[in-house]
């Protein structure tokens, strides 16, 4: 018996070495409020994924490269591959510009096989400037200023285990482009050890970054003229997000001062019991969960930690469906959209999943359709930023007003 157990453990260790990279990176079977009908969002979107951005969203496949501005808030002590926390886990901010190459294909991050990226063919960092706290707030207000309706929204992206800043920054740029997000993108990044066996160390770094993350969400929610603050978190980043939102709820702001939008949890690496406790303090109608019963990275995580992970629930199971109904969250089943052996990044690599994300965060809000953001809107107008304090290149307007993609005949949803 002991020999059998040891052989099982050895097998799990080997499997873990193979699949742990899939826990890296960081996005719905939609179950609306509790009591909704059940279904699942399953489609043959992968087969259609060979088309580029143009084929998916109406742009030209041979369009010129363009630069996507991204605010980066980081508790990494050094650069893109830093594995250490800043002193006191205090966050630093910057405004970065990521070039997306011509002919970019939806669900893909074009990168070189070796050497430095070429903006003509790859995602590449083409601009970077550090911002102090005051500059960051002013620059975000400037980016929001002048936008109308849902284009006043902010999307915060939080990556998962074993992810460098460069990887997370490129992933957010890809999601912004593929999902046609017209608002302001913000990356929150914490120091990953970028090592297969550093799962515990990464979780400690993520935990230490909670206060900095909460400060960011609080500041964004109080940006003059801002619409909603949406969150897209992946894998271990979903645990960090839930812990931070729970902390915000305990401090008296469960909905970020009324500005919390959609919270999209992709392949959440969270124990089911823990998630229920976290959600108890929050409004479940904000939450959408992307799951896949074939997510091998989460299978390894469950083997390591001994508990079933939220991202591996099966909406096809009667027991799991009953649990989903009780939770009152939306759940999107990506089991049939797997894009690789591990199946942990379906949310960002399967065009159908990207379409759903874009439709969710770009959904028009009739009550705010005509609202326009202006610098210091809703703030004390006697206190204005000094001349020249807000100066940045504005985000380009979207090509067209964002619209939710029509449902495909073969797509089903949990909680339509």
């Amino acid at each position: 018996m002991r020999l059998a157990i040891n052989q099982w453990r050895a097998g799990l260790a080997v499997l873990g070495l193979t699949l742990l990279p899939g826990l890296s990176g960081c996005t719905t079977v939609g179950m609306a409020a509790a009591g909704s009908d059940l279904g699942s969002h399953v489609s043959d979107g992968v087969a259609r994924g060979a088309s580029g951005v143009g084929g998916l969203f109406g742009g030209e496949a041979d369009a010129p490269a363009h630069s996507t501005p991204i605010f980066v808030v980081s508790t990494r002590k050094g650069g893109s591959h830093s594995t250490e926390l800043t002193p006191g886990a205090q966050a630093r901010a910057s405004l970065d510009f990521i070039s997306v190459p011509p002919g970019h294909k939806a669900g893909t991050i074009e990168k070189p096989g070796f050497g430095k990226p070429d903006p003509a063919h790859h995602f590449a960092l083409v601009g970077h400037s550090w911002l102090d706290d005051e500059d960051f707030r002013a620059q975000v207000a400037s980016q929001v200023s002048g936008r109308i309706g849902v284009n006043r929204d902010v999307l915060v992206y939080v990556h998962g285990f074993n992810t460098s800043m460069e990887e997370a920054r490129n992933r957010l740029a890809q999601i912004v482009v593929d999902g046609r997000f017209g608002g302001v993108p913000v990356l929150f990044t914490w120091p990953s050890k970028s090592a297969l066996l550093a799962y515990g160390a990464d979780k400690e770094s993520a935990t230490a970054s909670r206060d900095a993350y909460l400060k960011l969400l609080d500041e964004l929610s109080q940006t003059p003229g801002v619409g909603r603050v949406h969150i897209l978190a992946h894998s271990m980043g979903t645990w960090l997000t839930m812990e931070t939102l729970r902390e915000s709820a305990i401090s008296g702001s469960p909905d970020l001062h009324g500005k919390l939008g959609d919270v999209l949890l992709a392949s959440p690496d969270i124990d089911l019991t823990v998630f229920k406790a976290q959600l108890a303090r929050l409004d479940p109608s904000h939450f959408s969960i992307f799951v896949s019963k074939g997510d091998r990275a989460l299978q390894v995580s469950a083997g390591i930690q001994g508990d079933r992970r939220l991202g591996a629930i099966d909406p096809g199971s009667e027991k799991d469906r009953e649990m989903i109904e009780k939770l009152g969250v939306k759940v999107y089943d990506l089991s049939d959209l797997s894009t690789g052996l591990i199946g942990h990044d379906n949310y960002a690599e399967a065009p159908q999943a990207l379409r759903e994300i874009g439709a969710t965060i770009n959904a028009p809000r009739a009550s705010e359709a005509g609202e326009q953001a202006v610098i210091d809107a809703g703030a004390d107008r006697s206190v204005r930023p000094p001349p020249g304090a807000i100066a940045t290149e504005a985000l380009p307007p979207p090509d067209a007003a964002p619209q939710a993609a029509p449902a495909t005949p073969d797509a089903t949803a949990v909680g339509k």
Side-chain angles (χ1 to χ4, degrees), residues 299-319:
Q299 292 171 8
V300 172
S301 177
I304 293 173
Q305 302 184 78
D307 299 300
R308 192 180 180 203
R309 317 317 283 169
L310 174 64
I313 61 176
D314 179 9
S317 158
E318 182 177 349
K319 182 178 179 181

Side-chain angles (χ1 to χ4, degrees), residues 147-292:
R147 296 168 180 270
I148 298 175
V150 296
N151 288 331
R152 300 175 301 124
D153 292 354
V154 174
L155 174 63
V156 179
Y157 175 71
V158 188
H159 62 80
F161 164 72
N162 193 22
T163 305
S164 71
M165 184 189 295
E166 179 182 10
E167 291 167 336
R169 197 166 46 199
N170 287 345
R171 178 64 81 190
L172 176 53
Q174 176 237 321
I175 291 169
V176 167
V177 171
D178 291 350
R180 290 295 190 189
F181 177 63
V184 179
V186 179
L187 167 65
F188 182 79
T189 176
W190 45 276
S192 166
K193 294 294 184 184
S194 294
L196 299 183
L197 301 181
Y199 187 88
D202 272 18
K203 193 163 187 176
E204 290 178 358
S205 292
T207 302
S209 301
R210 284 180 299 185
D211 288 351
Y213 186 16
L214 179 58
K215 178 184 176 183
L216 168 64
L217 294 178
D218 187 67
E219 289 181 346
L220 291 174
S221 68
Q222 298 189 67
T223 299
V226 73
R228 293 288 185 271
V229 177
H230 304 295
I231 300 172
L232 171 58
H234 180 235
S235 195
M236 189 180 288
T238 64
W239 181 87
L240 172 58
T241 292
M242 292 302 298
E243 283 292 287
T244 302
L245 290 176
R246 180 176 180 274
E247 185 177 337
S248 180
I250 292 173
S251 65
S253 181
D255 60 356
L256 300 183
H257 311 286
K259 295 297 184 178
L260 181 63
D262 294 293
V263 181
L264 311 178
L265 306 179
S267 305
D269 189 8
I270 309 175
D271 171 75
L272 283 169
T273 302
V274 171
F275 178 72
K276 292 174 183 177
Q278 294 167 329
L279 190 65
R281 293 184 175 271
L282 302 165
D283 180 354
S285 67
H286 289 281
F287 292 83
S288 298
I289 305 170
F290 292 85
V291 304
S292 174

Side-chain angles (χ1 to χ4, degrees), residues 17-30:
L17 287 173
T18 304
L19 299 181
L20 270 175
L23 287 169
S24 64
C26 259
T27 25
T28 220
V29 175

